[in-house]
């Protein structure tokens, strides 16, 4: 598999977002306010750069509104996922939100008129099997259908809509301008929501503030500048499925820093998951009829 710039950017983005569940699991700030500061600090850092370097280009009204919509969708996704992680387990929340490749594939078919390749569906099935193996079949069968469960599923749906809409916007708007507009929209939207719900904007420990800043720099700016660039140059279905690999990296980080156990089953599941992703990058279309034919 040739490592092109978009693929390299995607790998970088996946590595950056993989630490996010670890930071959220520390519970140093409420989930909703954590999402706000992730967007707010990111736009505070990005805005001066794009203004000074004159890299910001205001798109036409249609794409401006769509970029702002992307900001609201992504902010909602992060906020809902934060709450799901803190109200249940990071494993359950990650499993359910990572059903997004299915929603992206379906959405691409109905709304973008793009028929996902056979390799995508085969890779999706293999990757989801790997994901289930990673967290355990018994765990998957015993999912608790509570508020956290619904929030995690909703997070995956929001994320898939974000990917599909952003793919459309990034066909006409450069990455830095898109990120600036979407982050401003995210910050305003989450700021109003946090204020309306009486979320605490202050009172965090020094470690808590550092973690919030870390989320903004690594998990937002570095990660999503890279992923937005990859989305601009790659199929949305392929990007969404590749992001499943963050579960493997997150498990390793949780083992290193949170002393969570890694079993042989988790290793096996991770290998299957990564193999499923690799299938989607296979250039030649896999023929199911040829695989199961009796020659």
């Amino acid at each position: 598999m040739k490592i092109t710039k978009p693929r390299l950017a995607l790998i970088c983005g996946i590595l950056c977002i993989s630490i996010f569940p670890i930071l959220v699991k520390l519970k140093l700030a409420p989930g909703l306010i954590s999402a706000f500061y992730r967007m707010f600090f990111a736009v505070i850092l990005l805005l001066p750069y794009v203004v000074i370097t004159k890299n910001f280009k205001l798109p036409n009204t249609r794409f401006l509104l769509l970029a702002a919509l992307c900001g609201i969708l992504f902010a909602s996704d992060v906020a809902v996922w934060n709450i799901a992680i803190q109200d249940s387990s990071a494993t359950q929340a990650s499993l359910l939100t990572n059903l997004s490749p299915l929603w992206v594939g379906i959405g691409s078919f109905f709304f973008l008129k793009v028929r996902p390749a056979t390799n995508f569906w085969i890779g999706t099935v293999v990757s989801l099997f790997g994901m289930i193996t990673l967290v355990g079949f018994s765990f998957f069968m015993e999912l608790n259908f509570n508020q956290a469960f619904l929030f995690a599923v909703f997070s995956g749906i929001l994320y898939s809509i974000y990917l599909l809409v952003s793919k459309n916007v990034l066909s006409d708007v450069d990455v830095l301008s898109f990120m600036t507009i979407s982050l401003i929209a995210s910050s305003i939207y989450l700021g109003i929501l946090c204020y309306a719900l009486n979320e605490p904007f202050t009172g965090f420990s020094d470690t808590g503030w550092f973690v919030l800043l870390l989320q903004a720099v690594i998990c937002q700016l570095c990660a999503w500048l890279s992923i937005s660039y990859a989305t601009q140059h790659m199929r949305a279905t392929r990007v969404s499925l590749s992001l499943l690999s963050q579960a493997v990296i997150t498990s390793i980080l949780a083992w290193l820093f949170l002393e969570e156990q890694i079993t042989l089953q988790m290793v096996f599941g991770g290998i299957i998951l990564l193999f499923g992703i690799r299938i989607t990058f296979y250039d030649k279309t896999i023929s199911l009829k040829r695989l199961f034919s009796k020659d």
Side-chain angles (χ1 to χ4, degrees), residues 151-166:
F151 272 22
V153 173
F154 188 41
S155 170
I157 295 173
L158 286 169
Y159 174 64
S160 62
I161 297 173
Y162 164 80
L163 270 182
L164 293 170
V165 177
S166 66

mmCIF file with all atom_site columns, all heavy atoms in Angstrom, residues 151-166:
data_model
loop_
_atom_site.group_PDB
_atom_site.id
_atom_site.type_symbol
_atom_site.label_atom_id
_atom_site.label_alt_id
_atom_site.label_comp_id
_atom_site.label_asym_id
_atom_site.label_entity_id
_atom_site.label_seq_id
_atom_site.pdbx_PDB_ins_code
_atom_site.Cartn_x
_atom_site.Cartn_y
_atom_site.Cartn_z
_atom_site.occupancy
_atom_site.B_iso_or_equiv
_atom_site.pdbx_formal_charge
_atom_site.auth_seq_id
_atom_site.auth_comp_id
_atom_site.auth_asym_id
_atom_site.auth_atom_id
_atom_site.pdbx_PDB_model_num
ATOM 1   N N   . PHE A 1 151 ? -26.801 7.722  23.840 1.00 0.00 ? 151 PHE A N   1
ATOM 2   C CA  . PHE A 1 151 ? -25.905 8.825  23.536 1.00 0.00 ? 151 PHE A CA  1
ATOM 3   C C   . PHE A 1 151 ? -24.736 8.363  22.666 1.00 0.00 ? 151 PHE A C   1
ATOM 4   O O   . PHE A 1 151 ? -24.306 9.068  21.762 1.00 0.00 ? 151 PHE A O   1
ATOM 5   C CB  . PHE A 1 151 ? -25.366 9.451  24.828 1.00 0.00 ? 151 PHE A CB  1
ATOM 6   C CG  . PHE A 1 151 ? -26.252 10.539 25.383 1.00 0.00 ? 151 PHE A CG  1
ATOM 7   C CD1 . PHE A 1 151 ? -27.589 10.604 25.049 1.00 0.00 ? 151 PHE A CD1 1
ATOM 8   C CD2 . PHE A 1 151 ? -25.757 11.491 26.252 1.00 0.00 ? 151 PHE A CD2 1
ATOM 9   C CE1 . PHE A 1 151 ? -28.422 11.581 25.553 1.00 0.00 ? 151 PHE A CE1 1
ATOM 10  C CE2 . PHE A 1 151 ? -26.566 12.488 26.766 1.00 0.00 ? 151 PHE A CE2 1
ATOM 11  C CZ  . PHE A 1 151 ? -27.900 12.537 26.407 1.00 0.00 ? 151 PHE A CZ  1
ATOM 12  N N   . ALA A 1 152 ? -24.203 7.169  22.950 1.00 0.00 ? 152 ALA A N   1
ATOM 13  C CA  . ALA A 1 152 ? -23.078 6.642  22.179 1.00 0.00 ? 152 ALA A CA  1
ATOM 14  C C   . ALA A 1 152 ? -23.484 6.343  20.738 1.00 0.00 ? 152 ALA A C   1
ATOM 15  O O   . ALA A 1 152 ? -22.741 6.636  19.798 1.00 0.00 ? 152 ALA A O   1
ATOM 16  C CB  . ALA A 1 152 ? -22.529 5.383  22.850 1.00 0.00 ? 152 ALA A CB  1
ATOM 17  N N   . VAL A 1 153 ? -24.679 5.751  20.564 1.00 0.00 ? 153 VAL A N   1
ATOM 18  C CA  . VAL A 1 153 ? -25.186 5.482  19.212 1.00 0.00 ? 153 VAL A CA  1
ATOM 19  C C   . VAL A 1 153 ? -25.427 6.798  18.476 1.00 0.00 ? 153 VAL A C   1
ATOM 20  O O   . VAL A 1 153 ? -25.058 6.958  17.301 1.00 0.00 ? 153 VAL A O   1
ATOM 21  C CB  . VAL A 1 153 ? -26.489 4.661  19.275 1.00 0.00 ? 153 VAL A CB  1
ATOM 22  C CG1 . VAL A 1 153 ? -27.103 4.539  17.874 1.00 0.00 ? 153 VAL A CG1 1
ATOM 23  C CG2 . VAL A 1 153 ? -26.225 3.281  19.850 1.00 0.00 ? 153 VAL A CG2 1
ATOM 24  N N   . PHE A 1 154 ? -26.023 7.768  19.190 1.00 0.00 ? 154 PHE A N   1
ATOM 25  C CA  . PHE A 1 154 ? -26.303 9.079  18.601 1.00 0.00 ? 154 PHE A CA  1
ATOM 26  C C   . PHE A 1 154 ? -25.009 9.771  18.190 1.00 0.00 ? 154 PHE A C   1
ATOM 27  O O   . PHE A 1 154 ? -24.946 10.454 17.163 1.00 0.00 ? 154 PHE A O   1
ATOM 28  C CB  . PHE A 1 154 ? -27.073 9.929  19.614 1.00 0.00 ? 154 PHE A CB  1
ATOM 29  C CG  . PHE A 1 154 ? -27.588 11.224 19.064 1.00 0.00 ? 154 PHE A CG  1
ATOM 30  C CD1 . PHE A 1 154 ? -28.146 11.292 17.789 1.00 0.00 ? 154 PHE A CD1 1
ATOM 31  C CD2 . PHE A 1 154 ? -27.517 12.393 19.815 1.00 0.00 ? 154 PHE A CD2 1
ATOM 32  C CE1 . PHE A 1 154 ? -28.622 12.495 17.282 1.00 0.00 ? 154 PHE A CE1 1
ATOM 33  C CE2 . PHE A 1 154 ? -27.986 13.589 19.315 1.00 0.00 ? 154 PHE A CE2 1
ATOM 34  C CZ  . PHE A 1 154 ? -28.543 13.643 18.048 1.00 0.00 ? 154 PHE A CZ  1
ATOM 35  N N   . SER A 1 155 ? -23.951 9.582  18.982 1.00 0.00 ? 155 SER A N   1
ATOM 36  C CA  . SER A 1 155 ? -22.646 10.160 18.672 1.00 0.00 ? 155 SER A CA  1
ATOM 37  C C   . SER A 1 155 ? -22.136 9.642  17.324 1.00 0.00 ? 155 SER A C   1
ATOM 38  O O   . SER A 1 155 ? -21.631 10.411 16.497 1.00 0.00 ? 155 SER A O   1
ATOM 39  C CB  . SER A 1 155 ? -21.636 9.821  19.773 1.00 0.00 ? 155 SER A CB  1
ATOM 40  O OG  . SER A 1 155 ? -20.322 10.175 19.407 1.00 0.00 ? 155 SER A OG  1
ATOM 41  N N   . GLY A 1 156 ? -22.269 8.337  17.103 1.00 0.00 ? 156 GLY A N   1
ATOM 42  C CA  . GLY A 1 156 ? -21.836 7.747  15.843 1.00 0.00 ? 156 GLY A CA  1
ATOM 43  C C   . GLY A 1 156 ? -22.615 8.282  14.653 1.00 0.00 ? 156 GLY A C   1
ATOM 44  O O   . GLY A 1 156 ? -22.048 8.529  13.583 1.00 0.00 ? 156 GLY A O   1
ATOM 45  N N   . ILE A 1 157 ? -23.926 8.504  14.835 1.00 0.00 ? 157 ILE A N   1
ATOM 46  C CA  . ILE A 1 157 ? -24.767 9.039  13.763 1.00 0.00 ? 157 ILE A CA  1
ATOM 47  C C   . ILE A 1 157 ? -24.367 10.482 13.447 1.00 0.00 ? 157 ILE A C   1
ATOM 48  O O   . ILE A 1 157 ? -24.229 10.867 12.279 1.00 0.00 ? 157 ILE A O   1
ATOM 49  C CB  . ILE A 1 157 ? -26.256 8.954  14.148 1.00 0.00 ? 157 ILE A CB  1
ATOM 50  C CG1 . ILE A 1 157 ? -26.687 7.494  14.265 1.00 0.00 ? 157 ILE A CG1 1
ATOM 51  C CG2 . ILE A 1 157 ? -27.121 9.694  13.138 1.00 0.00 ? 157 ILE A CG2 1
ATOM 52  C CD1 . ILE A 1 157 ? -28.087 7.305  14.810 1.00 0.00 ? 157 ILE A CD1 1
ATOM 53  N N   . LEU A 1 158 ? -24.168 11.300 14.509 1.00 0.00 ? 158 LEU A N   1
ATOM 54  C CA  . LEU A 1 158 ? -23.749 12.689 14.316 1.00 0.00 ? 158 LEU A CA  1
ATOM 55  C C   . LEU A 1 158 ? -22.407 12.768 13.588 1.00 0.00 ? 158 LEU A C   1
ATOM 56  O O   . LEU A 1 158 ? -22.211 13.589 12.692 1.00 0.00 ? 158 LEU A O   1
ATOM 57  C CB  . LEU A 1 158 ? -23.641 13.397 15.674 1.00 0.00 ? 158 LEU A CB  1
ATOM 58  C CG  . LEU A 1 158 ? -24.950 13.775 16.372 1.00 0.00 ? 158 LEU A CG  1
ATOM 59  C CD1 . LEU A 1 158 ? -24.668 14.218 17.799 1.00 0.00 ? 158 LEU A CD1 1
ATOM 60  C CD2 . LEU A 1 158 ? -25.661 14.885 15.604 1.00 0.00 ? 158 LEU A CD2 1
ATOM 61  N N   . TYR A 1 159 ? -21.505 11.876 13.994 1.00 0.00 ? 159 TYR A N   1
ATOM 62  C CA  . TYR A 1 159 ? -20.173 11.879 13.401 1.00 0.00 ? 159 TYR A CA  1
ATOM 63  C C   . TYR A 1 159 ? -20.216 11.516 11.920 1.00 0.00 ? 159 TYR A C   1
ATOM 64  O O   . TYR A 1 159 ? -19.520 12.107 11.100 1.00 0.00 ? 159 TYR A O   1
ATOM 65  C CB  . TYR A 1 159 ? -19.264 10.913 14.160 1.00 0.00 ? 159 TYR A CB  1
ATOM 66  C CG  . TYR A 1 159 ? -17.909 10.745 13.548 1.00 0.00 ? 159 TYR A CG  1
ATOM 67  C CD1 . TYR A 1 159 ? -17.025 11.811 13.478 1.00 0.00 ? 159 TYR A CD1 1
ATOM 68  C CD2 . TYR A 1 159 ? -17.512 9.530  13.008 1.00 0.00 ? 159 TYR A CD2 1
ATOM 69  C CE1 . TYR A 1 159 ? -15.787 11.664 12.881 1.00 0.00 ? 159 TYR A CE1 1
ATOM 70  C CE2 . TYR A 1 159 ? -16.275 9.373  12.418 1.00 0.00 ? 159 TYR A CE2 1
ATOM 71  C CZ  . TYR A 1 159 ? -15.416 10.449 12.360 1.00 0.00 ? 159 TYR A CZ  1
ATOM 72  O OH  . TYR A 1 159 ? -14.202 10.309 11.766 1.00 0.00 ? 159 TYR A OH  1
ATOM 73  N N   . SER A 1 160 ? -21.061 10.556 11.576 1.00 0.00 ? 160 SER A N   1
ATOM 74  C CA  . SER A 1 160 ? -21.168 10.140 10.170 1.00 0.00 ? 160 SER A CA  1
ATOM 75  C C   . SER A 1 160 ? -21.761 11.266 9.319  1.00 0.00 ? 160 SER A C   1
ATOM 76  O O   . SER A 1 160 ? -21.320 11.497 8.186  1.00 0.00 ? 160 SER A O   1
ATOM 77  C CB  . SER A 1 160 ? -22.027 8.875  10.047 1.00 0.00 ? 160 SER A CB  1
ATOM 78  O OG  . SER A 1 160 ? -23.342 9.104  10.504 1.00 0.00 ? 160 SER A OG  1
ATOM 79  N N   . ILE A 1 161 ? -22.760 11.981 9.868  1.00 0.00 ? 161 ILE A N   1
ATOM 80  C CA  . ILE A 1 161 ? -23.344 13.111 9.135  1.00 0.00 ? 161 ILE A CA  1
ATOM 81  C C   . ILE A 1 161 ? -22.291 14.196 8.940  1.00 0.00 ? 161 ILE A C   1
ATOM 82  O O   . ILE A 1 161 ? -22.175 14.794 7.863  1.00 0.00 ? 161 ILE A O   1
ATOM 83  C CB  . ILE A 1 161 ? -24.568 13.682 9.884  1.00 0.00 ? 161 ILE A CB  1
ATOM 84  C CG1 . ILE A 1 161 ? -25.674 12.631 9.989  1.00 0.00 ? 161 ILE A CG1 1
ATOM 85  C CG2 . ILE A 1 161 ? -25.108 14.920 9.175  1.00 0.00 ? 161 ILE A CG2 1
ATOM 86  C CD1 . ILE A 1 161 ? -26.845 13.051 10.855 1.00 0.00 ? 161 ILE A CD1 1
ATOM 87  N N   . TYR A 1 162 ? -21.491 14.429 9.994  1.00 0.00 ? 162 TYR A N   1
ATOM 88  C CA  . TYR A 1 162 ? -20.413 15.419 9.910  1.00 0.00 ? 162 TYR A CA  1
ATOM 89  C C   . TYR A 1 162 ? -19.440 15.071 8.783  1.00 0.00 ? 162 TYR A C   1
ATOM 90  O O   . TYR A 1 162 ? -19.057 15.933 7.982  1.00 0.00 ? 162 TYR A O   1
ATOM 91  C CB  . TYR A 1 162 ? -19.667 15.503 11.239 1.00 0.00 ? 162 TYR A CB  1
ATOM 92  C CG  . TYR A 1 162 ? -18.323 16.195 11.134 1.00 0.00 ? 162 TYR A CG  1
ATOM 93  C CD1 . TYR A 1 162 ? -18.240 17.580 11.097 1.00 0.00 ? 162 TYR A CD1 1
ATOM 94  C CD2 . TYR A 1 162 ? -17.141 15.445 11.036 1.00 0.00 ? 162 TYR A CD2 1
ATOM 95  C CE1 . TYR A 1 162 ? -17.010 18.216 10.969 1.00 0.00 ? 162 TYR A CE1 1
ATOM 96  C CE2 . TYR A 1 162 ? -15.911 16.079 10.915 1.00 0.00 ? 162 TYR A CE2 1
ATOM 97  C CZ  . TYR A 1 162 ? -15.852 17.465 10.882 1.00 0.00 ? 162 TYR A CZ  1
ATOM 98  O OH  . TYR A 1 162 ? -14.631 18.081 10.751 1.00 0.00 ? 162 TYR A OH  1
ATOM 99  N N   . LEU A 1 163 ? -19.029 13.809 8.699  1.00 0.00 ? 163 LEU A N   1
ATOM 100 C CA  . LEU A 1 163 ? -18.083 13.391 7.664  1.00 0.00 ? 163 LEU A CA  1
ATOM 101 C C   . LEU A 1 163 ? -18.647 13.600 6.258  1.00 0.00 ? 163 LEU A C   1
ATOM 102 O O   . LEU A 1 163 ? -17.950 14.076 5.360  1.00 0.00 ? 163 LEU A O   1
ATOM 103 C CB  . LEU A 1 163 ? -17.707 11.923 7.851  1.00 0.00 ? 163 LEU A CB  1
ATOM 104 C CG  . LEU A 1 163 ? -16.500 11.601 8.728  1.00 0.00 ? 163 LEU A CG  1
ATOM 105 C CD1 . LEU A 1 163 ? -16.253 10.102 8.747  1.00 0.00 ? 163 LEU A CD1 1
ATOM 106 C CD2 . LEU A 1 163 ? -15.252 12.322 8.244  1.00 0.00 ? 163 LEU A CD2 1
ATOM 107 N N   . LEU A 1 164 ? -19.920 13.264 6.083  1.00 0.00 ? 164 LEU A N   1
ATOM 108 C CA  . LEU A 1 164 ? -20.542 13.394 4.768  1.00 0.00 ? 164 LEU A CA  1
ATOM 109 C C   . LEU A 1 164 ? -20.680 14.858 4.352  1.00 0.00 ? 164 LEU A C   1
ATOM 110 O O   . LEU A 1 164 ? -20.398 15.217 3.212  1.00 0.00 ? 164 LEU A O   1
ATOM 111 C CB  . LEU A 1 164 ? -21.916 12.710 4.764  1.00 0.00 ? 164 LEU A CB  1
ATOM 112 C CG  . LEU A 1 164 ? -21.901 11.180 4.907  1.00 0.00 ? 164 LEU A CG  1
ATOM 113 C CD1 . LEU A 1 164 ? -23.304 10.657 5.126  1.00 0.00 ? 164 LEU A CD1 1
ATOM 114 C CD2 . LEU A 1 164 ? -21.269 10.543 3.674  1.00 0.00 ? 164 LEU A CD2 1
ATOM 115 N N   . VAL A 1 165 ? -21.112 15.710 5.295  1.00 0.00 ? 165 VAL A N   1
ATOM 116 C CA  . VAL A 1 165 ? -21.275 17.135 4.983  1.00 0.00 ? 165 VAL A CA  1
ATOM 117 C C   . VAL A 1 165 ? -19.916 17.794 4.768  1.00 0.00 ? 165 VAL A C   1
ATOM 118 O O   . VAL A 1 165 ? -19.729 18.579 3.837  1.00 0.00 ? 165 VAL A O   1
ATOM 119 C CB  . VAL A 1 165 ? -22.048 17.870 6.107  1.00 0.00 ? 165 VAL A CB  1
ATOM 120 C CG1 . VAL A 1 165 ? -22.152 19.367 5.806  1.00 0.00 ? 165 VAL A CG1 1
ATOM 121 C CG2 . VAL A 1 165 ? -23.440 17.285 6.276  1.00 0.00 ? 165 VAL A CG2 1
ATOM 122 N N   . SER A 1 166 ? -18.942 17.467 5.622  1.00 0.00 ? 166 SER A N   1
ATOM 123 C CA  . SER A 1 166 ? -17.615 18.073 5.500  1.00 0.00 ? 166 SER A CA  1
ATOM 124 C C   . SER A 1 166 ? -16.935 17.668 4.193  1.00 0.00 ? 166 SER A C   1
ATOM 125 O O   . SER A 1 166 ? -16.191 18.448 3.602  1.00 0.00 ? 166 SER A O   1
ATOM 126 C CB  . SER A 1 166 ? -16.730 17.706 6.693  1.00 0.00 ? 166 SER A CB  1
ATOM 127 O OG  . SER A 1 166 ? -16.438 16.317 6.720  1.00 0.00 ? 166 SER A OG  1
#
